Amino acid sequence: LKRLELEGTANFDRWRATLMYGDYAAQPELGFLDRREGFLAIASYKINPNWAVSTAVRYDIIAGKFDQTRIGIGYIDDCYALNLTYIGDFTYNGNVTANNTVMLQMSLRTLGGTGGTGMQ
């Protein structure tokens, strides 16, 4: 297999938990020179019918380290969805370096969506 993803989700009242496993072959044309394998764990809490907060962590099995964290807040109604997410992405090659990203996503529920990131 060149790409494998397995995902499981559980809902508990206002809580939602997702665990995803991914195994990807090298994709040099996309900038991924080595095989990647890891887990992504996501937890979200619905504050009320329209607002939710979420957090996530990604574990790189090959490097044996956590390499990404996320925290976000989102709003959804009948017309649109809006999400603001902070992503801390860490690379473990000798020295630890961080790539911090703030991502804003907006979707018009009946038309599609768009998003953008701002790098720090």
Side-chain angles (χ1 to χ4, degrees):
L1 293 175
K2 291 188 177 191
R3 179 182 179 122
L4 173 67
E5 290 181 351
L6 301 172
E7 181 177 332
T9 299
N11 292 304
F12 307 97
D13 192 31
R14 294 179 175 208
W15 289 94
R16 180 181 180 122
T18 301
L19 183 62
M20 180 177 161
Y21 167 78
D23 186 358
Y24 312 97
Q27 297 171 292
E29 63 280 355
L30 298 178
F32 299 106
L33 303 178
D34 299 314
R35 178 176 162 260
R36 296 170 292 141
E37 182 181 19
F39 287 99
L40 177 65
I42 305 167
S44 63
Y45 178 75
K46 197 167 193 176
I47 299 167
N48 64 37
N50 298 103
W51 289 93
V53 293
S54 64
T55 187
V57 63
R58 186 175 69 191
Y59 183 78
D60 183 334
I61 293 173
I62 294 169
K65 308 243 184 215
F66 289 97
D67 68 352
Q68 188 182 90
T69 58
R70 303 178 193 179
I71 189 164
I73 187 164
Y75 174 84
I76 190 169
D77 65 19
D78 293 337
C79 299
Y80 67 92
L82 187 65
N83 290 298
L84 180 65
T85 306
Y86 166 79
I87 303 168
D89 206 348
F90 307 96
T91 305
Y92 294 93
N93 291 329
N95 295 328
V96 176
T97 59
N99 181 11
N100 300 303
T101 305
V102 176
M103 182 170 48
L104 178 64
Q105 295 174 297
M106 181 179 155
S107 298
L108 299 174
R109 305 258 337 247
T110 58
L111 298 176
T114 186
T117 61
M119 302 295 235
Q120 293 184 16

